[in-house]
Amino acid sequence: MKNILRVALPPIFTAIALLVAWEIAVMVFKPAAYLLPSPLMILRAANVDSRQLLQATLSTAISAGLGFVIAAVVGMTCASVLSQSKFLQRGLYPLASLFQMVPLVAIAPLLVIWFGYGLSATVASAAIVAVFPVLANTLDGLRSTDPALRELFHIYNANRFTRWWKLELPSATPNIVTGLRIAAGLAVIGTVVGEFVSGYAGEDAPLGMVVLASMRGARTDLVFAAVALSAAVGFVLFGAVSFLGWLSLRKWHASTLIH
Amino acid sequence: MREAIGVHVRGVSHNFAGANVIRHADVQLKPGGFLAIVGDSGGGKTTLLRLIGGLIAPSSGEIVFTAGGESDSQSDHAPRGQSALAAAQSNAISFCFQEGRLLPWRNVLQNVALPLELNGVSAQARLAAAREMLAKMQLSDSEHKMPAQLSGGMRMRVAMARALVTRPKLLLLDEPFGALDEVTRLALDEELRQLWQQTGTTAILVTHSIQEAVSLAQQVVVMRGKPGRTMPAIAIDLPKGAAHRTSMQFVSLCERVYEQMTQQMPPQATEVAGLAR
């Protein structure tokens, strides 16, 4: 408990101090509200439109969550297949790396053409950005299995599947967790980018749409609120993944020790 | 107890990456015997052990396993390496390595049960066998500990338990206690000796410690030179046990092994090397 507080308190204090400084700065310099609203003004605006904002947050969270899960499953599966074949690895991995270089914003319109406006396009957008870190980190982990342990499994006459399931995958867990943590943050970014291009207005408009609509209406306070909420979605997803990673590694891996 | 097997290494040479690592190694060991291979680093001790275990195939010569008159040959004519590796893979041969090679994400019990698990033994049967082995080695209290929680000596004891859980006919030990402090090492030497007596398995120990070799084995083979060659085996006929490590007989046997390790190489050996080029 003491350890957790020691880790959690400093950033919380820093955040509060920054918010207070922001509030005071707005009180002193009095910028126009559409340029820079103060934290309290943002809070009040968010409170007024709380129903719509919650709906939007839920919609974005669902899309980011689904995109993340798809990226995790596809990334780990592809990495596992690639790890079993040097031939496939040579043929496919460079292409996967190149594919990673294509800017998401540039292909987002394609996703709208293929998936139409709405949830499937934003989920696809989230999955596409999040899949590569999972793939790359998992493949790295699978390939860096201790050769001495590989030899042990060879002596025990383990087949390829058993070696993957009982040796390579567990030994790659730290890398997989790293990949998933990066993917969690990226999934939210992918979702909001997707929403900018393919989002839908109306009752259940997602956060990306709230940002766009509020910008057009010069409601900077609501832009800030939506930005903060999308960051919160990312934070929760990242936190959940980190916690699950910690659970699976805490018994044996050095990375789980709090220093 | 499964029947132990004897080992007969005849004129085995091994080349690796164009270099001759072992030249004409000869070793003979009867079923249930204990052989120690000593020599300095790079002398091919570990390579010879891996050849016997079938992890690599000899470039020439043959390794024969004997069991009550039958013999299972691994020679130039037979498909190389197959029979020994098959024996290892059917759990007839067990390895115990210096690094222990425990899986860090498995607890002690699950690590010891691993060879049986990979051999398709049911969960109930393999856990029972692993628990029995742990009990025999007074490790039962540690069955839920993770390898990272164990000392180096404890880790090696778990690795020994894992090597013995399959009731091997031949146990191959590659510097098992090389990384341990002297006190722990003496204790584990004694434990290994008792386990060997209890199980009746054939054992081959690779070590750089002359004292360890002489106090544990029935015969000691010195390997030396580059490429590595085996010297004539020295029979050790001593009462076993830590208490005898100070007897005159023990000391003089250690001296004989030391002399073999340091004396001039027989000239004939270098001639053969010259001819081969």
PDB file of all heavy atoms in Angstrom, chain B residues 109-137:
ATOM      1  N   LEU B 109       7.130 -27.859  -8.284  1.00  0.00           N
ATOM      2  CA  LEU B 109       6.403 -29.092  -8.602  1.00  0.00           C
ATOM      3  C   LEU B 109       6.168 -29.218 -10.107  1.00  0.00           C
ATOM      4  O   LEU B 109       6.421 -30.268 -10.705  1.00  0.00           O
ATOM      5  CB  LEU B 109       5.065 -29.088  -7.847  1.00  0.00           C
ATOM      6  CG  LEU B 109       4.207 -30.332  -8.031  1.00  0.00           C
ATOM      7  CD1 LEU B 109       4.858 -31.543  -7.400  1.00  0.00           C
ATOM      8  CD2 LEU B 109       2.815 -30.112  -7.443  1.00  0.00           C
ATOM      9  N   GLN B 110       5.713 -28.116 -10.721  1.00  0.00           N
ATOM     10  CA  GLN B 110       5.416 -28.146 -12.156  1.00  0.00           C
ATOM     11  C   GLN B 110       6.690 -28.331 -12.984  1.00  0.00           C
ATOM     12  O   GLN B 110       6.660 -28.938 -14.055  1.00  0.00           O
ATOM     13  CB  GLN B 110       4.728 -26.850 -12.587  1.00  0.00           C
ATOM     14  CG  GLN B 110       3.391 -26.604 -11.900  1.00  0.00           C
ATOM     15  CD  GLN B 110       2.309 -27.532 -12.422  1.00  0.00           C
ATOM     16  OE1 GLN B 110       2.492 -28.219 -13.412  1.00  0.00           O
ATOM     17  NE2 GLN B 110       1.185 -27.563 -11.723  1.00  0.00           N
ATOM     18  N   ASN B 111       7.804 -27.803 -12.486  1.00  0.00           N
ATOM     19  CA  ASN B 111       9.073 -27.996 -13.183  1.00  0.00           C
ATOM     20  C   ASN B 111       9.510 -29.454 -13.136  1.00  0.00           C
ATOM     21  O   ASN B 111       9.963 -30.005 -14.139  1.00  0.00           O
ATOM     22  CB  ASN B 111      10.156 -27.104 -12.561  1.00  0.00           C
ATOM     23  CG  ASN B 111      10.389 -25.840 -13.361  1.00  0.00           C
ATOM     24  OD1 ASN B 111      10.785 -25.889 -14.522  1.00  0.00           O
ATOM     25  ND2 ASN B 111      10.106 -24.701 -12.746  1.00  0.00           N
ATOM     26  N   VAL B 112       9.377 -30.059 -11.964  1.00  0.00           N
ATOM     27  CA  VAL B 112       9.819 -31.449 -11.836  1.00  0.00           C
ATOM     28  C   VAL B 112       8.926 -32.381 -12.663  1.00  0.00           C
ATOM     29  O   VAL B 112       9.379 -33.372 -13.219  1.00  0.00           O
ATOM     30  CB  VAL B 112       9.839 -31.858 -10.344  1.00  0.00           C
ATOM     31  CG1 VAL B 112      10.127 -33.340 -10.191  1.00  0.00           C
ATOM     32  CG2 VAL B 112      10.898 -31.060  -9.595  1.00  0.00           C
ATOM     33  N   ALA B 113       7.650 -31.997 -12.791  1.00  0.00           N
ATOM     34  CA  ALA B 113       6.719 -32.855 -13.541  1.00  0.00           C
ATOM     35  C   ALA B 113       6.856 -32.687 -15.051  1.00  0.00           C
ATOM     36  O   ALA B 113       6.306 -33.478 -15.817  1.00  0.00           O
ATOM     37  CB  ALA B 113       5.282 -32.549 -13.107  1.00  0.00           C
ATOM     38  N   LEU B 114       7.617 -31.665 -15.477  1.00  0.00           N
ATOM     39  CA  LEU B 114       7.671 -31.322 -16.908  1.00  0.00           C
ATOM     40  C   LEU B 114       8.039 -32.480 -17.846  1.00  0.00           C
ATOM     41  O   LEU B 114       7.335 -32.713 -18.831  1.00  0.00           O
ATOM     42  CB  LEU B 114       8.625 -30.138 -17.120  1.00  0.00           C
ATOM     43  CG  LEU B 114       8.786 -29.681 -18.572  1.00  0.00           C
ATOM     44  CD1 LEU B 114       7.530 -28.963 -19.052  1.00  0.00           C
ATOM     45  CD2 LEU B 114       9.989 -28.771 -18.734  1.00  0.00           C
ATOM     46  N   PRO B 115       9.116 -33.242 -17.577  1.00  0.00           N
ATOM     47  CA  PRO B 115       9.467 -34.302 -18.531  1.00  0.00           C
ATOM     48  C   PRO B 115       8.343 -35.328 -18.699  1.00  0.00           C
ATOM     49  O   PRO B 115       8.112 -35.823 -19.801  1.00  0.00           O
ATOM     50  CB  PRO B 115      10.701 -34.974 -17.917  1.00  0.00           C
ATOM     51  CG  PRO B 115      11.127 -34.145 -16.777  1.00  0.00           C
ATOM     52  CD  PRO B 115      10.068 -33.150 -16.467  1.00  0.00           C
ATOM     53  N   LEU B 116       7.649 -35.624 -17.597  1.00  0.00           N
ATOM     54  CA  LEU B 116       6.547 -36.587 -17.678  1.00  0.00           C
ATOM     55  C   LEU B 116       5.380 -35.982 -18.447  1.00  0.00           C
ATOM     56  O   LEU B 116       4.739 -36.632 -19.267  1.00  0.00           O
ATOM     57  CB  LEU B 116       6.099 -36.998 -16.270  1.00  0.00           C
ATOM     58  CG  LEU B 116       7.169 -37.693 -15.428  1.00  0.00           C
ATOM     59  CD1 LEU B 116       6.673 -37.915 -14.006  1.00  0.00           C
ATOM     60  CD2 LEU B 116       7.549 -39.023 -16.060  1.00  0.00           C
ATOM     61  N   GLU B 117       5.141 -34.686 -18.177  1.00  0.00           N
ATOM     62  CA  GLU B 117       4.051 -33.979 -18.856  1.00  0.00           C
ATOM     63  C   GLU B 117       4.266 -34.003 -20.370  1.00  0.00           C
ATOM     64  O   GLU B 117       3.347 -34.309 -21.134  1.00  0.00           O
ATOM     65  CB  GLU B 117       4.015 -32.529 -18.347  1.00  0.00           C
ATOM     66  CG  GLU B 117       2.959 -31.668 -19.001  1.00  0.00           C
ATOM     67  CD  GLU B 117       3.002 -30.243 -18.442  1.00  0.00           C
ATOM     68  OE1 GLU B 117       3.496 -30.061 -17.315  1.00  0.00           O
ATOM     69  OE2 GLU B 117       2.536 -29.335 -19.144  1.00  0.00           O
ATOM     70  N   LEU B 118       5.497 -33.717 -20.801  1.00  0.00           N
ATOM     71  CA  LEU B 118       5.772 -33.682 -22.241  1.00  0.00           C
ATOM     72  C   LEU B 118       5.806 -35.083 -22.837  1.00  0.00           C
ATOM     73  O   LEU B 118       5.753 -35.254 -24.037  1.00  0.00           O
ATOM     74  CB  LEU B 118       7.098 -32.955 -22.507  1.00  0.00           C
ATOM     75  CG  LEU B 118       7.112 -31.479 -22.106  1.00  0.00           C
ATOM     76  CD1 LEU B 118       8.412 -30.813 -22.498  1.00  0.00           C
ATOM     77  CD2 LEU B 118       5.935 -30.728 -22.716  1.00  0.00           C
ATOM     78  N   ASN B 119       5.886 -36.083 -21.966  1.00  0.00           N
ATOM     79  CA  ASN B 119       5.860 -37.457 -22.444  1.00  0.00           C
ATOM     80  C   ASN B 119       4.442 -38.027 -22.418  1.00  0.00           C
ATOM     81  O   ASN B 119       4.240 -39.217 -22.617  1.00  0.00           O
ATOM     82  CB  ASN B 119       6.797 -38.310 -21.590  1.00  0.00           C
ATOM     83  CG  ASN B 119       7.561 -39.320 -22.410  1.00  0.00           C
ATOM     84  OD1 ASN B 119       7.788 -39.097 -23.599  1.00  0.00           O
ATOM     85  ND2 ASN B 119       7.956 -40.416 -21.805  1.00  0.00           N
ATOM     86  N   GLY B 120       3.470 -37.176 -22.124  1.00  0.00           N
ATOM     87  CA  GLY B 120       2.075 -37.597 -22.195  1.00  0.00           C
ATOM     88  C   GLY B 120       1.552 -38.319 -20.967  1.00  0.00           C
ATOM     89  O   GLY B 120       0.519 -38.975 -21.024  1.00  0.00           O
ATOM     90  N   VAL B 121       2.252 -38.221 -19.836  1.00  0.00           N
ATOM     91  CA  VAL B 121       1.767 -38.849 -18.605  1.00  0.00           C
ATOM     92  C   VAL B 121       0.622 -38.005 -18.035  1.00  0.00           C
ATOM     93  O   VAL B 121       0.672 -36.771 -18.069  1.00  0.00           O
ATOM     94  CB  VAL B 121       2.918 -38.962 -17.577  1.00  0.00           C
ATOM     95  CG1 VAL B 121       2.419 -39.557 -16.271  1.00  0.00           C
ATOM     96  CG2 VAL B 121       4.053 -39.788 -18.141  1.00  0.00           C
ATOM     97  N   SER B 122      -0.416 -38.656 -17.525  1.00  0.00           N
ATOM     98  CA  SER B 122      -1.590 -37.928 -17.027  1.00  0.00           C
ATOM     99  C   SER B 122      -1.222 -37.020 -15.857  1.00  0.00           C
ATOM    100  O   SER B 122      -0.251 -37.267 -15.149  1.00  0.00           O
ATOM    101  CB  SER B 122      -2.653 -38.919 -16.554  1.00  0.00           C
ATOM    102  OG  SER B 122      -2.270 -39.470 -15.316  1.00  0.00           O
ATOM    103  N   ALA B 123      -2.019 -35.963 -15.678  1.00  0.00           N
ATOM    104  CA  ALA B 123      -1.718 -34.959 -14.655  1.00  0.00           C
ATOM    105  C   ALA B 123      -1.572 -35.606 -13.279  1.00  0.00           C
ATOM    106  O   ALA B 123      -0.631 -35.311 -12.540  1.00  0.00           O
ATOM    107  CB  ALA B 123      -2.801 -33.892 -14.637  1.00  0.00           C
ATOM    108  N   GLN B 124      -2.499 -36.484 -12.952  1.00  0.00           N
ATOM    109  CA  GLN B 124      -2.482 -37.112 -11.630  1.00  0.00           C
ATOM    110  C   GLN B 124      -1.207 -37.924 -11.425  1.00  0.00           C
ATOM    111  O   GLN B 124      -0.520 -37.786 -10.413  1.00  0.00           O
ATOM    112  CB  GLN B 124      -3.710 -38.016 -11.517  1.00  0.00           C
ATOM    113  CG  GLN B 124      -4.220 -38.136 -10.106  1.00  0.00           C
ATOM    114  CD  GLN B 124      -5.396 -39.106 -10.039  1.00  0.00           C
ATOM    115  OE1 GLN B 124      -5.863 -39.609 -11.071  1.00  0.00           O
ATOM    116  NE2 GLN B 124      -5.853 -39.370  -8.850  1.00  0.00           N
ATOM    117  N   ALA B 125      -0.872 -38.738 -12.418  1.00  0.00           N
ATOM    118  CA  ALA B 125       0.290 -39.615 -12.303  1.00  0.00           C
ATOM    119  C   ALA B 125       1.589 -38.814 -12.245  1.00  0.00           C
ATOM    120  O   ALA B 125       2.480 -39.119 -11.451  1.00  0.00           O
ATOM    121  CB  ALA B 125       0.329 -40.595 -13.462  1.00  0.00           C
ATOM    122  N   ARG B 126       1.674 -37.763 -13.086  1.00  0.00           N
ATOM    123  CA  ARG B 126       2.954 -37.043 -13.115  1.00  0.00           C
ATOM    124  C   ARG B 126       3.152 -36.215 -11.853  1.00  0.00           C
ATOM    125  O   ARG B 126       4.270 -36.111 -11.347  1.00  0.00           O
ATOM    126  CB  ARG B 126       3.071 -36.192 -14.366  1.00  0.00           C
ATOM    127  CG  ARG B 126       2.126 -35.017 -14.451  1.00  0.00           C
ATOM    128  CD  ARG B 126       2.308 -34.268 -15.752  1.00  0.00           C
ATOM    129  NE  ARG B 126       1.475 -33.094 -15.791  1.00  0.00           N
ATOM    130  CZ  ARG B 126       0.499 -32.905 -16.679  1.00  0.00           C
ATOM    131  NH1 ARG B 126       0.237 -33.798 -17.595  1.00  0.00           N
ATOM    132  NH2 ARG B 126      -0.216 -31.797 -16.654  1.00  0.00           N
ATOM    133  N   LEU B 127       2.058 -35.653 -11.310  1.00  0.00           N
ATOM    134  CA  LEU B 127       2.203 -34.881 -10.072  1.00  0.00           C
ATOM    135  C   LEU B 127       2.554 -35.802  -8.908  1.00  0.00           C
ATOM    136  O   LEU B 127       3.360 -35.452  -8.042  1.00  0.00           O
ATOM    137  CB  LEU B 127       0.930 -34.087  -9.782  1.00  0.00           C
ATOM    138  CG  LEU B 127       0.671 -32.933 -10.757  1.00  0.00           C
ATOM    139  CD1 LEU B 127      -0.589 -32.177 -10.368  1.00  0.00           C
ATOM    140  CD2 LEU B 127       1.861 -31.985 -10.813  1.00  0.00           C
ATOM    141  N   ALA B 128       1.969 -36.999  -8.916  1.00  0.00           N
ATOM    142  CA  ALA B 128       2.294 -37.963  -7.861  1.00  0.00           C
ATOM    143  C   ALA B 128       3.765 -38.337  -7.939  1.00  0.00           C
ATOM    144  O   ALA B 128       4.472 -38.362  -6.918  1.00  0.00           O
ATOM    145  CB  ALA B 128       1.407 -39.200  -8.002  1.00  0.00           C
ATOM    146  N   ALA B 129       4.254 -38.595  -9.146  1.00  0.00           N
ATOM    147  CA  ALA B 129       5.660 -38.968  -9.317  1.00  0.00           C
ATOM    148  C   ALA B 129       6.576 -37.822  -8.902  1.00  0.00           C
ATOM    149  O   ALA B 129       7.606 -38.034  -8.253  1.00  0.00           O
ATOM    150  CB  ALA B 129       5.929 -39.363 -10.764  1.00  0.00           C
ATOM    151  N   ALA B 130       6.192 -36.586  -9.294  1.00  0.00           N
ATOM    152  CA  ALA B 130       7.016 -35.425  -8.952  1.00  0.00           C
ATOM    153  C   ALA B 130       7.038 -35.232  -7.439  1.00  0.00           C
ATOM    154  O   ALA B 130       8.098 -34.968  -6.851  1.00  0.00           O
ATOM    155  CB  ALA B 130       6.478 -34.174  -9.642  1.00  0.00           C
ATOM    156  N   ARG B 131       5.879 -35.379  -6.785  1.00  0.00           N
ATOM    157  CA  ARG B 131       5.822 -35.219  -5.321  1.00  0.00           C
ATOM    158  C   ARG B 131       6.668 -36.273  -4.624  1.00  0.00           C
ATOM    159  O   ARG B 131       7.357 -35.987  -3.646  1.00  0.00           O
ATOM    160  CB  ARG B 131       4.366 -35.334  -4.837  1.00  0.00           C
ATOM    161  CG  ARG B 131       3.543 -34.121  -5.174  1.00  0.00           C
ATOM    162  CD  ARG B 131       2.469 -33.837  -4.119  1.00  0.00           C
ATOM    163  NE  ARG B 131       1.846 -32.539  -4.392  1.00  0.00           N
ATOM    164  CZ  ARG B 131       0.796 -32.387  -5.196  1.00  0.00           C
ATOM    165  NH1 ARG B 131       0.245 -33.436  -5.775  1.00  0.00           N
ATOM    166  NH2 ARG B 131       0.296 -31.189  -5.401  1.00  0.00           N
ATOM    167  N   GLU B 132       6.626 -37.494  -5.164  1.00  0.00           N
ATOM    168  CA  GLU B 132       7.407 -38.580  -4.575  1.00  0.00           C
ATOM    169  C   GLU B 132       8.902 -38.263  -4.659  1.00  0.00           C
ATOM    170  O   GLU B 132       9.646 -38.433  -3.695  1.00  0.00           O
ATOM    171  CB  GLU B 132       7.091 -39.872  -5.338  1.00  0.00           C
ATOM    172  CG  GLU B 132       7.618 -41.131  -4.676  1.00  0.00           C
ATOM    173  CD  GLU B 132       7.437 -42.337  -5.580  1.00  0.00           C
ATOM    174  OE1 GLU B 132       6.428 -42.390  -6.310  1.00  0.00           O
ATOM    175  OE2 GLU B 132       8.312 -43.207  -5.575  1.00  0.00           O
ATOM    176  N   MET B 133       9.313 -37.763  -5.836  1.00  0.00           N
ATOM    177  CA  MET B 133      10.724 -37.412  -6.031  1.00  0.00           C
ATOM    178  C   MET B 133      11.126 -36.269  -5.091  1.00  0.00           C
ATOM    179  O   MET B 133      12.199 -36.293  -4.480  1.00  0.00           O
ATOM    180  CB  MET B 133      10.927 -36.997  -7.487  1.00  0.00           C
ATOM    181  CG  MET B 133      12.365 -36.998  -7.939  1.00  0.00           C
ATOM    182  SD  MET B 133      13.086 -38.657  -7.885  1.00  0.00           S
ATOM    183  CE  MET B 133      14.629 -38.272  -7.062  1.00  0.00           C
ATOM    184  N   LEU B 134      10.236 -35.264  -4.960  1.00  0.00           N
ATOM    185  CA  LEU B 134      10.526 -34.132  -4.077  1.00  0.00           C
ATOM    186  C   LEU B 134      10.631 -34.585  -2.625  1.00  0.00           C
ATOM    187  O   LEU B 134      11.499 -34.126  -1.872  1.00  0.00           O
ATOM    188  CB  LEU B 134       9.445 -33.054  -4.230  1.00  0.00           C
ATOM    189  CG  LEU B 134       9.467 -32.278  -5.548  1.00  0.00           C
ATOM    190  CD1 LEU B 134       8.258 -31.371  -5.664  1.00  0.00           C
ATOM    191  CD2 LEU B 134      10.752 -31.468  -5.675  1.00  0.00           C
ATOM    192  N   ALA B 135       9.771 -35.520  -2.260  1.00  0.00           N
ATOM    193  CA  ALA B 135       9.797 -36.015  -0.889  1.00  0.00           C
ATOM    194  C   ALA B 135      11.107 -36.747  -0.625  1.00  0.00           C
ATOM    195  O   ALA B 135      11.739 -36.575   0.414  1.00  0.00           O
ATOM    196  CB  ALA B 135       8.599 -36.937  -0.647  1.00  0.00           C
ATOM    197  N   LYS B 136      11.535 -37.544  -1.600  1.00  0.00           N
ATOM    198  CA  LYS B 136      12.768 -38.304  -1.464  1.00  0.00           C
ATOM    199  C   LYS B 136      13.956 -37.367  -1.252  1.00  0.00           C
ATOM    200  O   LYS B 136      14.897 -37.679  -0.526  1.00  0.00           O
ATOM    201  CB  LYS B 136      12.976 -39.122  -2.734  1.00  0.00           C
ATOM    202  CG  LYS B 136      14.090 -40.138  -2.653  1.00  0.00           C
ATOM    203  CD  LYS B 136      14.311 -40.779  -4.007  1.00  0.00           C
ATOM    204  CE  LYS B 136      13.918 -42.246  -3.986  1.00  0.00           C
ATOM    205  NZ  LYS B 136      14.098 -42.868  -5.306  1.00  0.00           N
ATOM    206  N   MET B 137      13.891 -36.195  -1.873  1.00  0.00           N
ATOM    207  CA  MET B 137      15.004 -35.247  -1.759  1.00  0.00           C
ATOM    208  C   MET B 137      14.737 -34.165  -0.719  1.00  0.00           C
ATOM    209  O   MET B 137      15.434 -33.138  -0.692  1.00  0.00           O
ATOM    210  CB  MET B 137      15.289 -34.609  -3.125  1.00  0.00           C
ATOM    211  CG  MET B 137      15.781 -35.624  -4.134  1.00  0.00           C
ATOM    212  SD  MET B 137      16.131 -34.889  -5.745  1.00  0.00           S
ATOM    213  CE  MET B 137      17.570 -33.890  -5.360  1.00  0.00           C
TER     214      MET B 137
END
